[in-house]
Amino acid sequence: MDVGKIIDKYGSRRRFLIAILQDIQEQERYLPKEALRQVSLRLGMPLVDVYGVATFYSAFSLEPRGRHEVTVCLGTACHVRGSHRILEEFERQIGVEAGHTTKDGEFTLESVNCLGCCAIGPVVVVDKVYHGEMTSNRVKTLISQCRKAQKVEAS
Ligand code: FES
């Protein structure tokens, strides 16, 4: 589905701006500049307003995201249980710091301040799946599972 079809699906109505951006993000794994220009034109909205929404929500990205998204919680409850060591282990194993995507487009690594499930901390989210009571030793397993899933999808 191209961007034009996504906009058509919502009848080019401004009130569906967020839904349109979500669909583009889902399809492209980010919001390309050209797509935002197209949304602006088709919805009859100033480009600055479209950018305003695209940059306000952390779910949107203006840069390509990895095929696998890893988010490590560094909130207080997770921090006191060693989440910083877990983040360091992810950084070491996939080779990028938090806030970045690997050059091969495989992983995007992020950190957040609370995921709302402190009781099971430290918490890591991999491709929208929550992993509680996380340890540094489990990092390698999670990364391997992502890579295996990638191979299965490709075959
Ligand atoms: S501090 Fe990590 S889930 Fe709340």
Side-chain angles (χ1 to χ4, degrees):
M1 184 186 295
D2 66 22
V3 171
K5 286 182 181 167
I6 290 173
I7 297 169
D8 288 345
K9 183 173 124 187
Y10 292 98
S12 301
R13 283 173 288 197
R14 289 182 187 192
R15 66 188 161 113
F16 293 118
L17 173 61
I18 291 175
I20 291 168
L21 295 180
Q22 284 174 322
D23 283 6
I24 296 169
Q25 172 84 37
E26 182 78 23
Q27 177 182 289
E28 305 291 330
R29 297 202 314 261
Y30 79 116
L31 299 175
K33 286 180 188 167
E34 188 46 46
L36 295 180
R37 277 193 209 102
Q38 204 174 339
V39 169
S40 165
L41 283 173
R42 293 279 310 277
L43 270 55
M45 293 179 69
L47 185 56
V48 68
D49 291 347
V50 176
Y51 264 93
V53 172
T55 55
F56 181 79
Y57 295 101
S58 61
F60 297 134
S61 175
L62 300 181
E63 294 180 8
R65 309 283 293 178
R67 282 180 285 281
H68 301 286
E69 297 197 42
V70 177
T71 303
V72 179
C73 181
L74 296 180
T76 304
C78 289
H79 178 78
V80 297
R81 295 178 187 142
S83 62
H84 57 285
R85 284 192 300 276
I86 294 165
L87 178 61
E88 285 168 6
E89 189 63 20
F90 271 109
E91 289 176 334
R92 193 181 69 73
Q93 291 207 23
I94 63 177
V96 292
E97 293 181 358
H100 295 279
T101 298
T102 56
K103 283 185 182 150
D104 61 3
E106 192 86 4
F107 292 96
T108 293
L109 181 61
E110 299 283 1
S111 64
V112 292
N113 289 324
C114 185
L115 290 161
C117 48
C118 311
I120 62 166
V123 182
V124 170
V125 181
V126 180
D127 296 336
K128 300 178 184 169
V129 177
Y130 283 64
H131 301 269
E133 299 174 2
M134 187 67 192
T135 64
S136 298
N137 293 337
R138 289 173 58 203
V139 168
K140 190 174 185 178
T141 304
L142 284 180
I143 292 171
S144 297
Q145 286 171 347
C146 287
R147 291 199 165 120
K148 276 183 196 161
Q150 190 70 31
K151 282 182 186 167
V152 170
E153 283 174 20
S155 61

